[in-house]
Amino acid sequence: MRVHKLTFAALAVVASLSLTACNEEDLTGQGSPSAGSTVSPSAGGSDQGGEQDSAGTGSDGQDSAGKSSGGQGSVAGTGSDGNGEIGKCRTDDLDITAADSTIGGDTEGTVAVELKNGGGRDCVLSAYAGVDLETSSGTLSAERTGQQADTSVLKDGESTFFGVTYPINESGGSGVRVTALVVTPPDETKSFSLEWPGSATLPVSDGSGSPVKVGPIGSAGQGGES
């Protein structure tokens, strides 16, 4: 009987050890999901990364909004053009030339100044241009004739003219020698200097006022006829 009891006791110990091993294996098996759940937060981190990606998409959306803003800026610019706002004619946009247009028998000499728009866009010219003559006695500024002056749109590639009148030197003296014609387009500060095409000299002035007169834009006809 003692032998049987010892055998049973041994079997019980073995069984107990087997159960313990099984339980440990089960726990180890449970540990794997636990480890999986430990990885889960990392996966959650990836999800957060996904949220960051979403935020990134949001950033892209913001970029899109930025682009939209840029688009609105473009639209605003286009809107201005759509409103018909045309800029002034700038000196650098204009090809300025001058020619003698005095007709025989006239008591005064006339120079026609041509302003040709080469700026690639329509532009506005208003009233009078500034005109100065560089002479041997200094600068002589032309006075306005007082004719009505309107604002006009000069289309790209087209020309307009205005006239400059001056007294003819018939005194027999040497007079005042003219060296250059300086033109400043309306509302501009940059001037353009060109060769004077009229009579070489002006009579000496008595100082009562400028003997040179400038007409408004458009006061000389096509081809320089006054």
Side-chain angles (χ1 to χ4, degrees):
M1 291 298 292
R2 180 174 301 205
V3 173
H4 288 297
K5 286 179 181 178
L6 289 172
T7 301
F8 286 129
L11 288 172
V13 170
V14 170
S16 174
L17 291 172
S18 297
L19 287 172
T20 302
C22 290
N23 288 336
E24 286 177 355
E25 287 175 1
D26 289 342
L27 288 173
T28 306
Q30 289 173 0
S32 296
S34 188
S37 60
T38 302
V39 175
S40 237
S42 296
S46 297
D47 290 342
Q48 289 173 0
E51 289 174 3
Q52 289 173 0
D53 289 342
S54 298
T57 305
S59 296
D60 291 341
Q62 289 173 0
D63 288 343
S64 298
K67 289 175 185 176
S68 297
S69 299
Q72 289 172 359
S74 298
V75 171
T78 305
S80 295
D81 293 338
N83 290 334
E85 295 181 5
I86 302 176
K88 68 180 180 180
C89 295
R90 297 168 299 194
T91 303
D92 291 338
D93 293 338
L94 299 171
D95 182 16
I96 305 176
T97 56
D100 183 15
S101 61
T102 304
I103 299 174
D106 285 353
T107 56
E108 291 183 312
T110 303
V111 166
V113 179
E114 178 182 3
L115 305 177
K116 184 175 182 179
N117 183 3
R121 63 180 179 88
D122 296 351
C123 61
V124 174
L125 283 172
S126 58
Y128 288 82
V131 170
D132 297 294
L133 299 187
E134 297 295 340
T135 75
S136 55
S137 297
T139 301
L140 179 62
S141 297
E143 292 182 354
R144 298 179 177 182
T145 60
Q147 293 173 259
Q148 182 176 348
D150 298 320
T151 297
S152 60
V153 174
L154 184 61
K155 293 188 176 297
D156 182 40
E158 294 187 355
S159 296
T160 189
F161 300 80
F162 67 86
V164 178
T165 57
Y166 61 94
I168 296 174
N169 183 17
E170 297 177 337
S171 64
S174 59
V176 178
R177 184 170 56 88
V178 182
T179 58
L181 169 65
V182 181
V183 176
T184 307
D187 300 320
E188 276 285 82
T189 56
K190 185 176 182 179
S191 302
F192 187 84
S193 181
L194 57 159
E195 186 178 346
W196 170 249
S199 297
T201 63
L202 300 176
V204 177
S205 172
D206 60 5
S208 60
S210 175
V212 182
K213 306 290 182 183
V214 56
I217 302 293
S219 60
Q222 185 70 25
E225 296 178 1
S226 57

